[in-house]
Short mmCIF file of all heavy atoms in Angstrom, two decimals:
data_model
loop_
_atom_site.label_atom_id
_atom_site.label_comp_id
_atom_site.label_asym_id
_atom_site.label_seq_id
_atom_site.Cartn_x
_atom_site.Cartn_y
_atom_site.Cartn_z
N MET A 1252 16.32 7.29 15.68
CA MET A 1252 16.72 6.44 16.70
C MET A 1252 17.83 7.08 17.37
O MET A 1252 18.03 6.93 18.55
CB MET A 1252 17.13 5.08 16.17
CG MET A 1252 15.98 4.14 15.90
SD MET A 1252 16.41 2.36 15.56
CE MET A 1252 17.17 2.47 13.94
N LEU A 1253 18.77 7.76 16.58
CA LEU A 1253 19.90 8.48 17.11
C LEU A 1253 19.58 9.36 18.23
O LEU A 1253 19.99 9.41 19.34
CB LEU A 1253 20.88 9.11 16.08
CG LEU A 1253 22.11 9.64 16.59
CD1 LEU A 1253 23.19 8.60 16.92
CD2 LEU A 1253 22.72 10.65 15.53
N LYS A 1254 18.44 10.22 17.96
CA LYS A 1254 18.08 11.29 18.90
C LYS A 1254 17.52 10.56 20.22
O LYS A 1254 17.88 11.01 21.29
CB LYS A 1254 16.86 12.04 18.31
CG LYS A 1254 17.26 13.12 17.41
CD LYS A 1254 15.98 14.01 17.24
CE LYS A 1254 16.21 14.83 15.99
NZ LYS A 1254 14.92 15.56 15.64
N ALA A 1255 16.75 9.47 20.05
CA ALA A 1255 16.24 8.72 21.21
C ALA A 1255 17.35 8.24 22.07
O ALA A 1255 17.40 8.42 23.25
CB ALA A 1255 15.19 7.72 20.84
N LEU A 1256 18.33 7.60 21.37
CA LEU A 1256 19.47 7.00 22.13
C LEU A 1256 20.28 8.16 22.71
O LEU A 1256 20.78 7.94 23.96
CB LEU A 1256 20.30 6.19 21.13
CG LEU A 1256 19.68 4.81 20.73
CD1 LEU A 1256 20.52 4.25 19.60
CD2 LEU A 1256 19.31 3.96 21.89
N ALA A 1257 20.52 9.24 22.06
CA ALA A 1257 21.21 10.40 22.72
C ALA A 1257 20.56 10.97 23.98
O ALA A 1257 21.28 11.38 24.82
CB ALA A 1257 21.38 11.52 21.67
N LEU A 1258 19.22 10.95 24.03
CA LEU A 1258 18.37 11.31 25.10
C LEU A 1258 18.32 10.25 26.26
O LEU A 1258 17.48 10.36 27.09
CB LEU A 1258 17.19 11.90 24.62
CG LEU A 1258 17.29 13.17 23.71
CD1 LEU A 1258 15.88 13.62 23.26
CD2 LEU A 1258 17.95 14.20 24.52
N ARG A 1259 19.17 9.24 26.02
CA ARG A 1259 19.22 8.02 26.94
C ARG A 1259 18.03 7.11 27.12
O ARG A 1259 17.75 6.57 28.11
CB ARG A 1259 19.51 8.62 28.44
CG ARG A 1259 20.82 9.49 28.45
CD ARG A 1259 21.95 8.57 28.40
NE ARG A 1259 23.21 9.32 28.57
CZ ARG A 1259 24.28 9.18 27.81
NH1 ARG A 1259 24.13 8.35 26.73
NH2 ARG A 1259 25.38 9.79 27.99
N ALA A 1260 17.37 7.05 25.98
CA ALA A 1260 16.35 6.07 25.89
C ALA A 1260 16.91 4.64 25.90
O ALA A 1260 18.02 4.43 25.30
CB ALA A 1260 15.51 6.15 24.60
N SER A 1261 16.34 3.68 26.51
CA SER A 1261 16.84 2.37 26.74
C SER A 1261 16.29 1.55 25.62
O SER A 1261 16.68 0.33 25.28
CB SER A 1261 16.48 1.78 27.99
OG SER A 1261 14.99 1.78 28.24
N ALA A 1262 15.23 2.03 24.76
CA ALA A 1262 14.70 1.35 23.64
C ALA A 1262 13.95 2.40 22.84
O ALA A 1262 13.65 3.35 23.22
CB ALA A 1262 13.60 0.29 24.28
N VAL A 1263 13.80 1.92 21.57
CA VAL A 1263 13.15 2.72 20.53
C VAL A 1263 12.14 1.77 19.80
O VAL A 1263 12.47 0.76 19.35
CB VAL A 1263 14.12 3.30 19.52
CG1 VAL A 1263 13.33 4.10 18.43
CG2 VAL A 1263 15.18 4.10 20.15
N LEU A 1264 10.98 2.23 19.85
CA LEU A 1264 9.82 1.30 19.23
C LEU A 1264 9.72 1.65 17.77
O LEU A 1264 9.73 2.89 17.41
CB LEU A 1264 8.49 1.54 19.94
CG LEU A 1264 8.54 1.24 21.38
CD1 LEU A 1264 7.18 1.56 22.06
CD2 LEU A 1264 8.85 -0.21 21.71
N VAL A 1265 9.70 0.75 16.95
CA VAL A 1265 9.53 0.89 15.43
C VAL A 1265 8.43 -0.12 14.97
O VAL A 1265 8.59 -0.63 13.88
CB VAL A 1265 10.90 0.73 14.78
CG1 VAL A 1265 11.86 1.67 15.17
CG2 VAL A 1265 11.40 -0.79 15.12
N GLY A 1266 7.35 -0.28 15.56
CA GLY A 1266 6.32 -1.13 15.27
C GLY A 1266 5.70 -0.90 14.02
O GLY A 1266 5.42 -1.85 13.27
N ARG A 1267 5.21 0.29 13.64
CA ARG A 1267 4.60 0.55 12.48
C ARG A 1267 5.23 0.20 11.20
O ARG A 1267 4.64 -0.54 10.31
CB ARG A 1267 3.91 1.97 12.46
CG ARG A 1267 2.91 2.12 11.44
CD ARG A 1267 2.28 3.56 11.61
NE ARG A 1267 1.63 3.57 12.99
CZ ARG A 1267 1.03 4.77 13.27
NH1 ARG A 1267 0.92 5.83 12.54
NH2 ARG A 1267 0.43 4.91 14.47
N PRO A 1268 6.49 0.53 11.07
CA PRO A 1268 7.10 0.12 9.81
C PRO A 1268 7.23 -1.26 9.64
O PRO A 1268 7.24 -1.82 8.53
CB PRO A 1268 8.55 0.90 9.98
CG PRO A 1268 8.45 2.04 10.86
CD PRO A 1268 7.27 1.53 11.75
N VAL A 1269 7.51 -2.04 10.75
CA VAL A 1269 7.65 -3.47 10.76
C VAL A 1269 6.42 -4.05 10.24
O VAL A 1269 6.35 -5.04 9.42
CB VAL A 1269 8.11 -3.97 12.14
CG1 VAL A 1269 8.11 -5.56 12.15
CG2 VAL A 1269 9.55 -3.51 12.44
N LEU A 1270 5.24 -3.54 10.76
CA LEU A 1270 3.89 -4.12 10.25
C LEU A 1270 3.67 -3.80 8.86
O LEU A 1270 3.03 -4.62 8.10
CB LEU A 1270 2.88 -3.51 11.12
CG LEU A 1270 2.83 -3.95 12.61
CD1 LEU A 1270 1.67 -3.22 13.47
CD2 LEU A 1270 2.62 -5.46 12.70
N TRP A 1271 4.09 -2.65 8.38
CA TRP A 1271 4.01 -2.38 6.88
C TRP A 1271 4.88 -3.32 6.16
O TRP A 1271 4.36 -3.86 5.07
CB TRP A 1271 4.45 -0.97 6.60
CG TRP A 1271 3.49 0.17 7.13
CD1 TRP A 1271 2.08 -0.01 7.41
CD2 TRP A 1271 3.90 1.46 7.39
NE1 TRP A 1271 1.69 1.16 7.85
CE2 TRP A 1271 2.60 2.13 7.85
CE3 TRP A 1271 4.93 2.19 7.31
CZ2 TRP A 1271 2.64 3.38 8.30
CZ3 TRP A 1271 5.07 3.43 7.80
CH2 TRP A 1271 3.78 4.12 8.22
N GLY A 1272 6.04 -3.62 6.55
CA GLY A 1272 6.80 -4.61 5.83
C GLY A 1272 6.21 -5.98 5.84
O GLY A 1272 6.30 -6.63 4.77
N LEU A 1273 5.66 -6.31 6.99
CA LEU A 1273 5.01 -7.55 7.02
C LEU A 1273 3.83 -7.65 6.08
O LEU A 1273 3.56 -8.78 5.45
CB LEU A 1273 4.61 -7.85 8.44
CG LEU A 1273 3.92 -9.19 8.74
CD1 LEU A 1273 4.81 -10.33 8.59
CD2 LEU A 1273 3.24 -9.22 10.23
N ALA A 1274 3.00 -6.58 5.99
CA ALA A 1274 1.77 -6.58 5.15
C ALA A 1274 2.15 -6.62 3.68
O ALA A 1274 1.51 -7.31 2.88
CB ALA A 1274 0.94 -5.25 5.39
N VAL A 1275 3.35 -5.99 3.27
CA VAL A 1275 3.73 -5.90 1.92
C VAL A 1275 4.41 -7.24 1.48
O VAL A 1275 4.13 -7.72 0.40
CB VAL A 1275 4.58 -4.78 1.68
CG1 VAL A 1275 5.25 -4.72 0.31
CG2 VAL A 1275 3.80 -3.43 1.89
N ALA A 1276 5.35 -7.74 2.24
CA ALA A 1276 6.24 -8.78 1.82
C ALA A 1276 6.48 -9.96 2.85
O ALA A 1276 7.44 -10.66 2.69
CB ALA A 1276 7.60 -8.31 1.28
N GLY A 1277 5.74 -9.97 3.87
CA GLY A 1277 5.80 -11.02 4.77
C GLY A 1277 7.10 -10.88 5.53
O GLY A 1277 7.62 -9.84 5.77
N VAL A 1278 7.75 -12.00 5.95
CA VAL A 1278 8.94 -12.04 6.73
C VAL A 1278 10.06 -11.36 6.04
O VAL A 1278 10.82 -10.64 6.66
CB VAL A 1278 9.36 -13.58 7.01
CG1 VAL A 1278 10.63 -13.52 7.76
CG2 VAL A 1278 8.27 -14.14 8.00
N ALA A 1279 10.16 -11.56 4.76
CA ALA A 1279 11.15 -10.79 3.97
C ALA A 1279 11.01 -9.19 4.06
O ALA A 1279 11.98 -8.49 4.11
CB ALA A 1279 11.20 -11.28 2.55
N GLY A 1280 9.74 -8.77 4.11
CA GLY A 1280 9.52 -7.42 4.32
C GLY A 1280 9.94 -6.94 5.64
O GLY A 1280 10.49 -5.81 5.75
N VAL A 1281 9.72 -7.66 6.65
CA VAL A 1281 10.21 -7.29 7.98
C VAL A 1281 11.71 -7.20 8.10
O VAL A 1281 12.32 -6.35 8.51
CB VAL A 1281 9.68 -8.18 9.04
CG1 VAL A 1281 10.24 -7.98 10.43
CG2 VAL A 1281 8.21 -8.21 9.08
N ARG A 1282 12.38 -8.14 7.44
CA ARG A 1282 13.85 -8.18 7.34
C ARG A 1282 14.36 -6.98 6.79
O ARG A 1282 15.33 -6.28 7.18
CB ARG A 1282 14.41 -9.46 6.76
CG ARG A 1282 14.31 -10.70 7.64
CD ARG A 1282 15.11 -11.89 7.00
NE ARG A 1282 14.90 -13.09 7.80
CZ ARG A 1282 14.27 -14.10 7.32
NH1 ARG A 1282 13.83 -14.18 6.16
NH2 ARG A 1282 14.04 -15.14 8.12
N HIS A 1283 13.65 -6.60 5.65
CA HIS A 1283 14.10 -5.50 4.89
C HIS A 1283 13.99 -4.21 5.65
O HIS A 1283 14.90 -3.35 5.63
CB HIS A 1283 13.36 -5.46 3.58
CG HIS A 1283 13.69 -4.27 2.68
ND1 HIS A 1283 15.03 -4.25 1.96
CD2 HIS A 1283 12.99 -3.10 2.27
CE1 HIS A 1283 14.99 -3.08 1.31
NE2 HIS A 1283 13.92 -2.47 1.49
N VAL A 1284 12.86 -4.02 6.34
CA VAL A 1284 12.55 -2.76 7.17
C VAL A 1284 13.64 -2.73 8.24
O VAL A 1284 14.20 -1.65 8.49
CB VAL A 1284 11.18 -2.78 7.72
CG1 VAL A 1284 11.00 -1.79 8.71
CG2 VAL A 1284 10.05 -2.63 6.52
N LEU A 1285 13.95 -3.88 8.99
CA LEU A 1285 14.87 -3.77 10.04
C LEU A 1285 16.32 -3.43 9.45
O LEU A 1285 17.04 -2.79 10.10
CB LEU A 1285 14.88 -5.13 10.72
CG LEU A 1285 13.62 -5.44 11.60
CD1 LEU A 1285 13.65 -6.73 12.31
CD2 LEU A 1285 13.34 -4.21 12.71
N GLN A 1286 16.61 -4.00 8.28
CA GLN A 1286 17.93 -3.74 7.68
C GLN A 1286 18.07 -2.18 7.31
O GLN A 1286 19.03 -1.53 7.47
CB GLN A 1286 18.17 -4.57 6.39
CG GLN A 1286 19.63 -4.47 5.85
CD GLN A 1286 20.68 -4.82 6.96
OE1 GLN A 1286 20.64 -5.83 7.55
NE2 GLN A 1286 21.63 -3.85 7.19
N LEU A 1287 16.86 -1.68 6.83
CA LEU A 1287 16.94 -0.26 6.51
C LEU A 1287 17.24 0.65 7.77
O LEU A 1287 17.86 1.63 7.79
CB LEU A 1287 15.53 0.21 5.77
CG LEU A 1287 15.35 -0.37 4.34
CD1 LEU A 1287 13.97 0.00 3.88
CD2 LEU A 1287 16.41 0.34 3.47
N LEU A 1288 16.48 0.23 8.89
CA LEU A 1288 16.60 0.95 10.11
C LEU A 1288 17.98 0.90 10.64
O LEU A 1288 18.67 1.80 11.17
CB LEU A 1288 15.63 0.36 11.17
CG LEU A 1288 14.20 0.85 10.83
CD1 LEU A 1288 13.25 0.15 11.78
CD2 LEU A 1288 13.90 2.29 10.95
N ARG A 1289 18.65 -0.32 10.57
CA ARG A 1289 19.96 -0.49 11.03
C ARG A 1289 21.02 0.40 10.11
O ARG A 1289 21.91 1.05 10.51
CB ARG A 1289 20.44 -1.96 10.83
CG ARG A 1289 20.18 -2.76 12.02
CD ARG A 1289 20.83 -4.13 11.89
NE ARG A 1289 19.80 -5.00 12.28
CZ ARG A 1289 19.51 -6.23 11.79
NH1 ARG A 1289 20.31 -6.74 11.01
NH2 ARG A 1289 18.49 -6.97 12.28
N ASP A 1290 20.84 0.31 8.81
CA ASP A 1290 21.57 1.12 7.92
C ASP A 1290 21.44 2.65 8.22
O ASP A 1290 22.41 3.47 8.15
CB ASP A 1290 21.14 0.91 6.46
CG ASP A 1290 21.52 -0.52 5.99
OD1 ASP A 1290 22.30 -1.25 6.64
OD2 ASP A 1290 20.94 -0.90 5.01
N GLU A 1291 20.23 3.06 8.44
CA GLU A 1291 19.89 4.56 8.76
C GLU A 1291 20.72 4.94 10.03
O GLU A 1291 21.28 6.06 10.12
CB GLU A 1291 18.55 4.84 8.78
CG GLU A 1291 17.82 4.92 7.35
CD GLU A 1291 16.43 5.21 7.57
OE1 GLU A 1291 15.94 5.73 8.55
OE2 GLU A 1291 15.68 4.95 6.56
N LEU A 1292 20.66 4.05 11.05
CA LEU A 1292 21.34 4.35 12.30
C LEU A 1292 22.86 4.38 12.06
O LEU A 1292 23.57 5.28 12.59
CB LEU A 1292 20.95 3.36 13.41
CG LEU A 1292 21.67 3.47 14.74
CD1 LEU A 1292 21.28 4.88 15.39
CD2 LEU A 1292 21.29 2.45 15.72
N ASP A 1293 23.35 3.44 11.18
CA ASP A 1293 24.84 3.39 11.08
C ASP A 1293 25.34 4.76 10.33
O ASP A 1293 26.31 5.32 10.74
CB ASP A 1293 25.16 2.25 10.03
CG ASP A 1293 25.14 0.93 10.80
OD1 ASP A 1293 25.23 0.99 12.05
OD2 ASP A 1293 25.21 -0.08 10.13
N ILE A 1294 24.40 5.19 9.38
CA ILE A 1294 24.71 6.37 8.66
C ILE A 1294 24.72 7.64 9.63
O ILE A 1294 25.62 8.39 9.64
CB ILE A 1294 23.74 6.68 7.54
CG1 ILE A 1294 24.14 5.55 6.33
CG2 ILE A 1294 23.90 8.13 6.88
CD1 ILE A 1294 23.01 5.56 5.31
N ALA A 1295 23.66 7.76 10.46
CA ALA A 1295 23.58 8.66 11.36
C ALA A 1295 24.74 8.78 12.42
O ALA A 1295 25.24 9.86 12.80
CB ALA A 1295 22.19 8.63 12.06
N MET A 1296 25.15 7.56 12.87
CA MET A 1296 26.17 7.53 13.75
C MET A 1296 27.45 8.06 13.18
O MET A 1296 28.33 8.63 13.72
CB MET A 1296 26.28 6.15 14.32
CG MET A 1296 25.13 5.70 15.31
SD MET A 1296 25.34 3.96 15.80
CE MET A 1296 26.93 3.78 16.57
N ALA A 1297 27.70 7.59 11.94
CA ALA A 1297 28.91 8.02 11.22
C ALA A 1297 28.99 9.43 10.95
O ALA A 1297 30.05 10.05 11.15
CB ALA A 1297 28.91 7.26 9.72
N LEU A 1298 27.80 10.01 10.64
CA LEU A 1298 27.82 11.45 10.46
C LEU A 1298 28.04 12.27 11.77
O LEU A 1298 28.47 13.49 11.64
CB LEU A 1298 26.45 11.82 9.74
CG LEU A 1298 26.32 11.51 8.35
CD1 LEU A 1298 24.87 11.74 7.86
CD2 LEU A 1298 27.33 12.18 7.44
N SER A 1299 27.69 11.67 12.84
CA SER A 1299 27.83 12.37 14.10
C SER A 1299 29.19 11.97 14.68
O SER A 1299 29.51 12.38 15.88
CB SER A 1299 26.62 11.99 15.02
OG SER A 1299 26.62 10.67 15.39
N GLY A 1300 29.94 11.17 14.18
CA GLY A 1300 31.31 10.66 14.65
C GLY A 1300 31.21 9.67 15.70
O GLY A 1300 32.15 9.49 16.45
N CYS A 1301 30.15 9.02 15.82
CA CYS A 1301 30.04 7.77 16.80
C CYS A 1301 30.44 6.47 16.12
O CYS A 1301 29.75 6.24 15.13
CB CYS A 1301 28.68 7.71 17.35
SG CYS A 1301 28.07 9.27 18.25
N THR A 1302 31.24 5.71 16.63
CA THR A 1302 31.59 4.44 16.13
C THR A 1302 30.96 3.33 16.84
O THR A 1302 30.80 2.22 16.28
CB THR A 1302 33.20 4.17 16.25
OG1 THR A 1302 33.61 4.33 17.55
CG2 THR A 1302 33.93 5.26 15.45
N LYS A 1303 30.41 3.64 18.07
CA LYS A 1303 29.72 2.57 18.92
C LYS A 1303 28.50 3.21 19.43
O LYS A 1303 28.39 4.43 19.71
CB LYS A 1303 30.52 1.99 20.04
CG LYS A 1303 31.84 1.41 19.52
CD LYS A 1303 32.65 0.95 20.79
CE LYS A 1303 34.09 0.67 20.23
NZ LYS A 1303 34.99 1.45 21.22
N VAL A 1304 27.43 2.37 19.74
CA VAL A 1304 26.32 2.99 20.29
C VAL A 1304 26.52 3.59 21.61
O VAL A 1304 25.90 4.63 22.00
CB VAL A 1304 25.19 1.83 20.48
CG1 VAL A 1304 23.97 2.29 21.30
CG2 VAL A 1304 24.66 1.29 19.15
N LYS A 1305 27.45 3.10 22.44
CA LYS A 1305 27.74 3.66 23.68
C LYS A 1305 28.45 5.09 23.59
O LYS A 1305 28.51 5.83 24.49
CB LYS A 1305 28.66 2.78 24.62
CG LYS A 1305 30.01 2.59 24.08
CD LYS A 1305 30.84 1.72 24.91
CE LYS A 1305 32.35 1.61 24.55
NZ LYS A 1305 33.12 0.88 25.51
N ASP A 1306 28.85 5.39 22.35
CA ASP A 1306 29.46 6.73 22.02
C ASP A 1306 28.42 7.86 21.92
O ASP A 1306 28.78 8.98 21.86
CB ASP A 1306 30.33 6.64 20.83
CG ASP A 1306 31.58 5.82 21.10
OD1 ASP A 1306 32.00 5.60 22.19
OD2 ASP A 1306 32.01 5.38 20.01
N ILE A 1307 27.21 7.41 21.76
CA ILE A 1307 26.06 8.40 21.46
C ILE A 1307 25.71 9.20 22.81
O ILE A 1307 25.51 8.44 23.78
CB ILE A 1307 24.91 7.64 20.93
CG1 ILE A 1307 25.09 6.95 19.60
CG2 ILE A 1307 23.70 8.67 20.85
CD1 ILE A 1307 23.95 6.10 19.21
N GLU A 1308 25.89 10.35 22.74
CA GLU A 1308 25.72 11.17 23.97
C GLU A 1308 24.73 12.29 23.81
O GLU A 1308 24.44 12.79 22.76
CB GLU A 1308 27.04 12.04 24.29
CG GLU A 1308 28.26 11.07 24.39
CD GLU A 1308 29.59 11.89 24.70
OE1 GLU A 1308 29.56 13.20 24.35
OE2 GLU A 1308 30.57 11.34 25.18
N PRO A 1309 24.08 12.79 24.85
CA PRO A 1309 23.19 13.90 24.79
C PRO A 1309 23.63 15.20 24.23
O PRO A 1309 22.79 15.92 23.54
CB PRO A 1309 22.84 14.14 26.39
CG PRO A 1309 23.18 12.96 27.09
CD PRO A 1309 24.31 12.28 26.36
N SER A 1310 24.91 15.34 24.02
CA SER A 1310 25.49 16.61 23.49
C SER A 1310 25.17 16.64 22.00
O SER A 1310 25.30 17.67 21.25
CB SER A 1310 26.95 16.62 23.75
OG SER A 1310 27.65 15.60 23.18
N LEU A 1311 24.82 15.52 21.41
CA LEU A 1311 24.47 15.39 20.02
C LEU A 1311 23.20 16.05 19.69
O LEU A 1311 22.81 16.37 18.54
CB LEU A 1311 24.46 13.98 19.55
CG LEU A 1311 25.69 13.25 19.61
CD1 LEU A 1311 25.45 11.70 19.19
CD2 LEU A 1311 26.78 13.76 18.49
N VAL A 1312 22.30 16.22 20.70
CA VAL A 1312 20.95 16.93 20.52
C VAL A 1312 20.88 18.16 21.19
O VAL A 1312 21.33 18.36 22.30
CB VAL A 1312 19.90 15.88 21.07
CG1 VAL A 1312 18.52 16.48 20.95
CG2 VAL A 1312 20.00 14.51 20.60
N LYS A 1313 20.37 19.21 20.35
CA LYS A 1313 20.19 20.53 20.90
C LYS A 1313 18.82 20.61 21.28
O LYS A 1313 17.82 20.45 20.57
CB LYS A 1313 20.48 21.45 19.79
CG LYS A 1313 20.32 22.94 20.31
CD LYS A 1313 20.77 23.98 19.14
CE LYS A 1313 20.53 25.36 19.80
NZ LYS A 1313 20.78 26.35 18.81
N ILE A 1314 18.60 20.97 22.60
CA ILE A 1314 17.31 21.10 23.29
C ILE A 1314 16.89 22.52 23.30
O ILE A 1314 17.54 23.45 23.81
CB ILE A 1314 17.22 20.37 24.61
CG1 ILE A 1314 17.60 18.88 24.44
CG2 ILE A 1314 15.82 20.54 25.27
CD1 ILE A 1314 17.82 18.22 25.78
N LYS A 1315 15.76 22.90 22.65
CA LYS A 1315 15.25 24.11 22.76
C LYS A 1315 14.67 24.57 24.18
O LYS A 1315 14.02 23.76 24.81
CB LYS A 1315 14.03 24.24 21.67
CG LYS A 1315 13.91 25.47 20.92
CD LYS A 1315 12.79 25.32 19.92
CE LYS A 1315 12.72 26.52 19.18
NZ LYS A 1315 11.61 26.50 18.17
N ASP A 1316 15.10 25.77 24.62
CA ASP A 1316 14.60 26.16 25.87
C ASP A 1316 13.20 26.66 25.82
O ASP A 1316 12.62 27.09 25.05
CB ASP A 1316 15.48 27.42 26.37
CG ASP A 1316 16.86 26.84 26.69
OD1 ASP A 1316 17.06 25.75 27.16
OD2 ASP A 1316 17.86 27.61 26.52
#
């Protein structure tokens, strides 16, 4: 998600993991998957020095020529 946001995506689709969570544990599974995704984004932001989503910039991503 961090890469997509750094490249100025206005949204990031995460449908498949949500469906897996739903299939395994119903609504609780979906909540768990979404919490995992939030936690992973928080960690990635912390490691990149971003405290807010608006701090995510394209300079965080190296684009191959």
Side-chain angles (χ1 to χ4, degrees):
M1252 284 193 287
L1253 183 74
K1254 276 187 197 179
L1256 293 171
L1258 295 172
R1259 300 294 185 223
S1261 57
V1263 180
L1264 300 177
V1265 290
R1267 196 171 294 180
V1269 171
L1270 291 176
W1271 291 335
L1273 181 64
V1275 170
V1278 174
V1281 173
R1282 284 190 185 117
H1283 182 69
V1284 168
L1285 293 176
Q1286 187 60 51
L1287 288 173
L1288 290 170
R1289 273 188 226 146
D1290 293 345
E1291 287 180 16
L1292 180 59
D1293 285 343
I1294 291 167
M1296 287 175 60
L1298 290 171
S1299 64
C1301 299
T1302 57
K1303 300 177 200 136
V1304 173
K1305 70 178 186 175
D1306 295 338
I1307 300 173
E1308 301 177 341
S1310 64
L1311 294 173
V1312 180
K1313 182 177 179 181
I1314 299 174
K1315 215 175 184 183
D1316 290 330

